[in-house]
Amino acid sequence: MKSKKLYSFSAVIFSIGLIFSVQWHALYSNKTSFVNKKITKIEFQGNRNTSSNDISEMMEMRVDILLTTEMINADIRALFQSGYFFQIDIQGELDGTDGVKILVVVQERPRVKDIDFIGADEVFPSDLREKIPLKENEVITPKKVALSKEVILKKYRDEGFFLAYVRFETDPIDEETNTVRAKFIIDEGEEIPVSKINIFGNSEVDTYELQGILDLKESGIIESGVFKESAFESDKQKIIGFLKSKGYVDAELSNDGTNWEIKWENPKKKDKRVVIVNFKLTEGDQYFFNGYSTAHDMTLAPSGMPLYLNKENNPPGTPQEEWKPVYEIKHLKGLYEFGDNDIGEVFDESKFQKDRGTINENYSQKGYLFAQVIPRRRIVELSEDSLSRYENCSKRTNPDAIKECEEEYSRLNITKLRSLYDANKGLRGKKFIHVDFTIRENNLAFVENIIIKGNKKTLDRVIRRELLFKPGDLFNSMLVNRSRERIFNLGYFKEVNFNMRPGSDETKMNLIIELVEQPTGTVSMGGGYGTITGFSIFTQLGENNLNGTGQQIQGRIEFGPIRRYFQLSWTEPWLYDKPWSLTLSAFYSARTLYVGATSITENNNQGIKETASYERAGVGVSAGIGHRFLINWTHFHRYSPSFFASTRPTSLVSDQVLAEVDRGWQFRSQLTNGIAYDSRDNVFNATQGFNLVFSLDNVGQVLGGESHFDQYSPIMEYYQTWFDYTFFGLIRKNALRRWRVVQQFRTSSVFTYERAPFRKSQDKEKVPYIQVQDRLYLGGYESLRGWFFDDKYYPDEWKNGAASRVLFTSELRFPIEPSLLWFVVFWDAGAMYEEVNKAVGERKDYFQAYDQTVLNQRYTKPYETYFYEHFNQYGQPLAESPLDLNDPGRLVLSSKNMSLQNFKYSWGFGLRIQIPVLPLRLYFAQKIRYTGSGEHPFSTYPDSNTFQFVFGIGDLRF
């Protein structure tokens, strides 16, 4: 058979060998020989990066069907449109008399091996790589290249580089892998400043007020004023949003007058370009609020039943007097921000939109995703003619018209408007908006299918087990939102988006979960610093999503002059796909403990003191289980046996420490039980929700060992978002909703109580039930910012640690960049307490005789004692008498001593820098004291009113 040339998309001859083939024939040019014959076999040739199955999916040709001319044309067109190939040849060979074999010969476009951004200095290459459609290991197509260049240029325009230029090049193709290195060569140009911002058309709203809300600023001494197109677009929305919030509901920007233009700053020199920005607006009339009316749509169906009222409470045949809506009108009215008391206030469009959305949100929480809230605006002019028309309903001749007028008189709050007309002449002639909300409850919505996209590594079951609903369940927006938060809190994804699509009928919806994965393996080095723990460097290796199963394995080595630490742990968060977790870990630690200062001079009050220290080493293992139940609850249990030894004491440590060193290695046995409630929206950077944890540690006693105590640890956190940078909806830009001003309220307390060993004799003077390393400290970055753990304003007992500690903090965070940097203002408070009645030996005698000792000192040495209690060694006044400060009666853990005057306080400001490997905390903190005065409850210390710089690395806060 004679071979013919196949129709080709390219003018280049594909293969000389194929042209002179004696077996295969071009289908397109020799169709008559093959059309209407059954396809017996399909083969592929030349495809290295695209699988045969993927090519087959693009084609209509299938084995055992008849070949048609339309099929040939469609398949050639589909393969070219895929963008994967730049040459395609489809050939055929007769197989007997009634069959035909198909050979698809392709020449692929190369795939991307790497992407380089040459010349990208002002924009992070990672930002460009994430946004462009051309990705590594994908086929290069002209369309993807063109779109990628547009994306890069837009990014530069958004950053103010309007003169940027992008060129695309590739290195030679690697013939073995058919891959190529792609290069975007960028000439960034220069930033262009804003020379002038003109606002036209405003007569009521002040120009400076409008300029104050804009992102764009005129360049000057303080402002760089760089023009960014994204800021220009957002500023247009800001202006309209601001005007609508001021009651100018009809405000709009003119297309022909709102623009920006690049000009020469000096047309003669032509040495510098600037941007002139113009906003031309129309304010329109200012409107005022005249109340809401809310009603359910009671339109009847042909059956006589309500058409839009929920069918669940109102099945066919329900008598009219028993018809029930999902929400009564009274309940809905209680949700509104605008109320009847606000009649006469400026009509704030953002508050109106929020009230409308509140109704929808409440219905979606009950499963009524299809509920509609239809607003109808009624405009009433505050004039004599307008009000009189409603006040004289009886003059209307038609009874129906009279009834309608009387209903409107009540609904439109004419009585209130008349009062405003008489009392406020400035409102006369103004327009008032009354909104009628009509609610259509419609059908319940059920989840038909849950479709997960984007999880290349993470297994579907790892995602589905975090969902609080399953296919067939009633749609509940609260559970849907919480499920999205739970998936994000796994830490496996940088984006988690839930989208809804219509299902197979009007009662069903499909939930699409779109994910963007992020690396979950960690190989990091960094450092940490705390006032007590000192500086240390660490290396940490881990995988938080082992093989996509959600298992976690972590190894950490930490080294510093005060602390050395090693830990290895493994966690299975869902045992056998049940909400039970298992954690196994082992550790080694060595830490230098400072146990207070000892006087080395005769004058104990103003002497020279030297710090005493020793080293505490330990090794141990732990095994823990946890169980998640309900939505946000978890209970957990952990057993931790370990061995500890004290070594390397300095010369001035106490006899108690020396005795502990002599005892060598000691066994410690600890059982922890706890319960937690966590409703935070984001565990990495929470903006709302609670985190409550209560744990009980039983140490020793029936478990054995030398330490014997119970420790109760309640933790309560609450996060409140006050507003975001849309400023209550004034600026309609979703991106700004991430910029949330958040306040954290936190209390963390530890209460330790001695317990006796179980059926064992132990002299607690020689072997304390609560050993030195178990005592608690206060101060430093870890707990009370601005204070030292051995601060001069502390009672002497605190400097050697205490059995119980109570801490409070409040931190207000303003995002500078919401994923990286915040400015914070904080307030801290803390106190420590002892079980004084548990003291033994000389310490017990000292406590019992304290009151008498102080009385004797004041009586026998009145002048010396007076100066000691009121002035320091430099003659500066003291905030509190050292004798009162060290009163053991104030150190006892009791409700009486849990008072404001027993706490130590600080406030300050600073920065939170959330660098993944090295999170930094930079604060300036000032000590303050409680005065008890109603007018000025807090003041600074007389001899210490400066701000203390507090530096921290890592999240070591209590």
Side-chain angles (χ1 to χ4, degrees):
M1 291 181 288
K2 186 177 179 181
S3 175
K4 292 185 177 182
K5 176 78 172 59
L6 172 68
Y7 166 80
S8 175
F9 180 80
S10 172
V12 180
I13 298 175
F14 174 68
S15 173
I16 295 176
L18 292 175
I19 291 177
F20 295 101
S21 172
V22 297
Q23 191 173 30
W24 293 98
H25 298 259
L27 284 182
Y28 190 82
S29 58
N30 197 18
K31 290 181 287 190
T32 56
S33 303
F34 303 106
V35 167
N36 295 326
K37 294 183 180 295
K38 186 170 69 172
I39 300 173
T40 59
K41 189 176 183 180
I42 302 176
E43 296 179 356
F44 300 92
Q45 183 176 310
N47 55 309
R48 287 181 291 176
N49 293 325
T50 310
S51 69
S52 298
N53 289 335
D54 289 343
I55 301 175
S56 179
E57 288 295 323
M58 304 177 198
M59 302 171 58
E60 293 184 12
M61 294 183 189
R62 296 289 185 270
V63 175
D64 293 334
I65 66 173
L66 296 180
L67 181 67
T68 65
T69 300
E70 292 77 10
M71 190 180 297
I72 298 172
N73 295 337
D75 284 352
I76 291 177
R77 185 167 55 252
L79 293 177
F80 273 120
Q81 288 178 348
S82 71
Y84 293 162
F85 319 104
F86 63 85
Q87 285 187 349
I88 302 166
D89 193 7
I90 303 181
Q91 300 187 14
E93 178 192 14
L94 293 177
D95 186 9
T97 57
D98 298 325
V100 58
K101 297 179 182 178
I102 303 298
L103 176 65
V104 181
V105 184
V106 298
Q107 187 165 345
E108 295 177 312
R109 296 183 185 275
R111 290 182 179 268
V112 179
K113 181 180 181 181
D114 294 304
I115 302 177
D116 290 337
F117 298 91
I118 300 173
D121 297 324
E122 300 296 333
V123 174
F124 289 115
S126 58
D127 289 345
L128 299 176
R129 185 173 285 106
E130 182 178 326
K131 289 180 171 59
I132 62 174
L134 185 64
K135 303 294 184 183
E136 293 180 0
N137 201 36
E138 290 186 359
V139 172
I140 297 179
T141 66
K143 182 178 180 181
K144 286 183 180 180
V145 171
L147 289 175
S148 296
K149 291 170 68 176
E150 289 180 11
V151 168
I152 294 171
L153 287 174
K154 183 179 184 306
K155 177 64 176 176
Y156 273 96
R157 287 197 299 269
D158 290 345
E159 296 297 326
F161 295 90
F162 276 80
L163 305 179
Y165 173 77
V166 179
R167 187 173 79 253
F168 178 77
E169 292 183 357
T170 61
D171 287 348
I173 298 174
D174 185 335
E175 297 295 341
E176 293 185 3
T177 60
N178 197 31
T179 59
V180 68
R181 183 184 298 275
K183 297 184 291 187
F184 290 96
I185 302 171
I186 302 169
D187 180 359
E188 294 181 329
E190 60 179 351
E191 294 178 311
I192 305 179
V194 176
S195 173
K196 183 66 177 176
I197 299 176
N198 299 310
I199 300 178
F200 308 102
N202 54 308
S203 58
E204 299 296 330
V205 180
D206 188 77
T207 298
Y208 291 105
E209 192 175 9
L210 288 171
Q211 288 180 335
I213 67 171
L214 301 180
D215 286 338
L216 290 176
K217 303 294 181 184
E218 295 178 359
S219 61
I221 298 176
I222 299 176
E223 295 285 350
S224 62
V226 174
F227 180 79
K228 297 183 179 181
E229 191 172 15
S230 59
F232 172 74
E233 293 298 326
S234 67
D235 281 346
K236 292 196 295 185
Q237 299 296 326
K238 282 186 178 183
I239 290 174
I240 296 301
F242 181 79
L243 291 172
K244 287 181 179 292
S245 72
K246 296 296 183 181
Y248 298 96
V249 176
D250 300 325
E252 59 183 17
L253 288 171
S254 172
N255 291 329
D256 59 352
T258 301
N259 52 45
W260 55 271
E261 52 186 336
I262 300 177
K263 292 186 175 182
W264 293 108
E265 185 178 43
N266 188 327
K268 294 183 179 180
K269 293 184 178 180
K270 295 184 178 182
D271 58 346
K272 182 180 179 182
R273 297 177 189 267
V274 294
V275 174
I276 308 296
V277 179
N278 302 307
F279 296 103
K280 185 177 180 181
L281 58 92
T282 302
E283 290 174 333
D285 294 327
Q286 187 178 31
Y287 292 84
F288 296 82
F289 180 67
N290 187 34
Y292 292 148
S293 295
T294 309
H296 294 96
D297 191 334
M298 301 303 291
T299 303
L300 298 180
S303 63
M305 295 296 295
L307 183 62
Y308 300 111
L309 209 60
N310 69 90
K311 306 299 187 297
E312 288 67 37
N313 293 340
N314 308 281
T318 304
Q320 183 173 354
E321 61 274 12
E322 296 181 11
W323 290 350
K324 296 179 182 178
V326 175
Y327 289 111
E328 298 291 342
I329 299 300
K330 181 180 180 181
H331 172 79
L332 297 175
K333 285 184 175 180
L335 302 174
Y336 297 140
E337 286 196 15
F338 262 138
D340 292 339
N341 293 331
D342 297 318
I343 295 174
E345 299 293 327
V346 168
F347 187 86
D348 187 336
E349 181 80 12
S350 63
K351 288 176 71 174
F352 158 72
Q353 294 293 347
K354 186 174 182 180
D355 287 341
R356 181 182 180 185
T358 298
I359 301 176
N360 278 119
E361 179 64 22
N362 274 261
Y363 269 96
S364 65
Q365 290 181 9
K366 292 281 190 178
Y368 290 88
L369 184 63
F370 303 114
Q372 298 172 281
V373 182
I374 305 169
R376 179 193 174 199
R377 301 191 184 195
R378 305 281 297 276
I379 309 298
V380 180
E381 184 178 329
L382 195 65
S383 64
E384 184 62 40
D385 291 342
S386 178
L387 296 178
S388 297
R389 186 164 62 88
Y390 293 105
E391 291 171 334
N392 298 305
C393 294
S394 59
K395 294 183 179 180
R396 304 193 182 189
T397 57
N398 188 332
D400 292 337
I402 293 174
K403 182 179 179 182
E404 181 181 354
C405 177
E406 290 175 345
E407 290 176 352
E408 290 190 342
Y409 177 88
S410 175
R411 179 187 301 115
L412 299 178
N413 302 302
I414 301 302
T415 302
K416 178 69 174 177
L417 292 181
R418 170 59 73 179
S419 300
L420 290 173
Y421 180 85
D422 295 336
N424 193 336
K425 293 183 180 181
L427 290 177
R428 294 182 182 181
K430 300 296 184 181
K431 295 180 179 179
F432 284 67
I433 294 179
H434 183 90
V435 181
D436 293 326
F437 285 124
T438 302
I439 300 172
R440 294 179 175 178
E441 296 181 335
N442 295 322
N443 301 310
L444 283 169
F446 294 86
V447 179
E448 184 173 23
N449 295 297
I450 300 173
I451 302 167
I452 302 174
K453 297 181 178 180
N455 54 319
K456 299 177 181 179
K457 173 184 176 181
T458 308
L459 302 178
D460 273 11
R461 62 182 174 86
V462 174
I463 301 162
R464 292 183 185 276
R465 68 195 186 190
E466 297 296 330
L467 300 176
L468 299 171
F469 54 88
K470 59 183 181 300
D473 284 356
L474 186 67
F475 181 91
N476 185 320
S477 63
M478 182 179 67
L479 297 182
V480 170
N481 291 334
R482 185 57 183 156
S483 296
R484 187 195 64 79
E485 293 171 356
R486 284 171 54 136
I487 293 174
F488 185 82
N489 286 341
L490 292 173
Y492 310 156
F493 313 102
K494 60 182 176 182
E495 288 186 24
V496 179
N497 299 309
F498 280 22
N499 296 306
M500 303 301 297
R501 299 287 185 270
S504 57
D505 60 48
E506 61 181 7
T507 67
K508 295 182 176 64
M509 295 292 290
N510 292 322
L511 178 66
I512 313 298
I513 303 177
E514 297 180 344
L515 307 167
V516 178
E517 289 186 321
Q518 63 183 2
T520 54
T522 58
V523 179
S524 59
M525 295 185 65
Y529 176 82
T531 307
I532 298 175
T533 58
F535 181 79
S536 62
I537 60 174
F538 69 86
T539 299
Q540 181 167 307
L541 294 87
E543 172 57 60
N544 295 323
N545 187 15
L546 189 62
N547 297 324
T549 63
Q551 293 181 5
Q552 303 168 17
I553 184 168
Q554 300 285 343
R556 181 184 178 94
I557 300 176
E558 186 174 344
F559 181 81
I562 296 178
R563 175 180 168 90
R564 280 82 65 202
Y565 185 76
F566 167 78
Q567 183 183 36
L568 181 66
S569 66
W570 171 84
T571 298
E572 168 55 76
W574 285 69
L575 277 172
Y576 305 108
D577 284 327
K578 302 295 181 182
W580 286 87
S581 64
L582 172 64
T583 299
L584 304 175
S585 67
F587 78 93
Y588 164 79
S589 70
R591 175 178 169 185
T592 301
L593 295 173
Y594 294 93
V595 290
T598 302
S599 176
I600 58 175
T601 63
E602 294 182 359
N603 187 341
N604 291 330
N605 295 328
Q606 300 178 1
I608 301 173
K609 297 187 176 183
E610 181 175 312
T611 301
S613 66
Y614 70 103
E615 188 172 287
R616 183 75 167 176
V619 61
V621 297
S622 72
I625 60 171
H627 176 230
R628 296 202 320 194
F629 63 101
L630 299 179
I631 296 177
N632 300 316
W633 289 91
T634 303
H635 62 88
F636 54 91
H637 316 274
R638 181 174 60 251
Y639 178 60
S640 308
S642 57
F643 292 89
F644 287 91
S646 296
T647 59
R648 303 176 66 184
T650 60
S651 59
L652 296 177
V653 297
S654 65
D655 293 340
Q656 181 181 347
V657 172
L658 291 175
E660 190 173 306
V661 172
D662 291 339
R663 287 195 296 271
W665 287 95
Q666 302 172 72
F667 178 59
R668 175 192 174 99
S669 186
Q670 179 174 339
L671 178 66
T672 303
N673 296 283
I675 189 168
Y677 174 85
D678 189 352
S679 63
R680 290 174 295 174
D681 58 341
N682 183 341
V683 297
F684 308 104
N685 182 24
T687 62
Q688 62 183 13
F690 288 91
N691 180 37
L692 311 176
V693 182
F694 178 80
S695 62
L696 168 61
D697 292 287
N698 303 111
V699 180
Q701 306 166 67
V702 71
L703 300 173
E706 280 74 33
S707 298
H708 305 281
F709 58 87
D710 290 336
Q711 197 168 74
Y712 302 87
S713 304
I715 299 174
M716 291 176 283
E717 287 181 325
Y718 172 65
Y719 296 86
Q720 170 67 45
T721 296
W722 295 114
F723 57 89
D724 57 39
Y725 284 2
T726 65
F727 297 103
F728 305 101
L730 294 181
I731 306 168
R732 295 187 178 180
K733 188 174 182 182
N734 286 333
L736 291 179
R737 296 188 183 279
R738 294 176 54 240
W739 301 65
R740 298 178 179 180
V741 176
V742 177
Q743 188 164 11
Q744 178 201 37
F745 301 90
R746 192 177 200 271
T747 175
S748 172
S749 302
V750 180
F751 303 101
T752 309
Y753 299 93
E754 277 190 1
R755 295 290 183 258
F758 182 74
R759 295 183 180 178
K760 175 184 175 182
S761 176
Q762 181 173 320
D763 185 350
K764 70 176 182 179
E765 253 191 283
K766 296 180 179 179
V767 185
Y769 296 165
I770 302 176
Q771 299 191 32
V772 177
Q773 81 277 0
D774 296 316
R775 300 180 68 79
L776 304 167
Y777 292 86
L778 182 66
Y781 162 61
E782 299 91 334
S783 56
L784 191 60
R785 287 166 281 194
W787 293 78
F788 297 99
F789 71 94
D790 58 349
D791 203 277
K792 64 181 179 179
Y793 297 113
Y794 284 167
D796 291 338
E797 286 292 320
W798 287 14
K799 299 175 184 179
N800 292 319
S804 299
R805 182 178 65 188
V806 180
L807 295 168
F808 297 96
T809 190
S810 179
E811 190 169 274
L812 186 62
R813 302 171 183 170
F814 297 87
I816 299 173
E817 206 302 312
S819 61
L820 177 66
L821 182 63
W822 297 265
F823 173 78
V824 302
V825 179
F826 66 85
W827 177 85
D828 289 347
M832 295 200 295
Y833 298 94
E834 286 283 9
E835 287 186 283
V836 178
N837 60 318
K838 298 293 184 181
V840 296
E842 294 180 1
R843 189 162 172 261
K844 182 176 181 180
D845 296 337
Y846 168 73
F847 286 162
Q848 290 178 344
Y850 187 82
D851 290 341
Q852 186 62 45
T853 302
V854 170
L855 185 62
N856 292 339
Q857 185 174 341
R858 287 172 176 171
Y859 180 76
T860 57
K861 298 179 180 181
Y863 296 109
E864 294 90 333
T865 305
Y866 176 84
F867 282 103
Y868 172 70
E869 291 192 78
H870 291 86
F871 301 97
N872 64 14
Q873 57 183 324
Y874 305 107
Q876 296 171 316
L878 295 176
E880 187 175 10
S881 164
L883 297 180
D884 293 337
L885 181 67
N886 288 292
D887 185 353
R890 295 177 58 179
L891 305 179
V892 179
L893 180 60
S894 65
S895 58
K896 175 185 176 182
N897 287 332
M898 197 77 69
S899 58
L900 294 175
Q901 60 264 28
N902 281 355
F903 278 78
K904 304 302 177 184
Y905 303 91
S906 66
W907 83 282
F909 55 90
L911 296 174
R912 289 169 53 91
I913 307 173
Q914 196 65 24
I915 303 173
V917 177
L918 204 66
L920 302 178
R921 306 292 184 259
L922 308 174
Y923 301 112
F924 289 93
Q926 184 184 46
K927 299 173 185 175
I928 54 177
R929 64 189 182 91
Y930 179 70
T931 64
S933 170
E935 295 182 358
H936 303 286
F938 292 96
S939 70
T940 59
Y941 284 84
D943 58 340
S944 179
N945 57 7
T946 59
F947 280 87
Q948 174 77 31
F949 177 66
V950 181
F951 170 68
I953 303 177
D955 290 315
L956 303 177
R957 292 281 292 144
F958 61 91

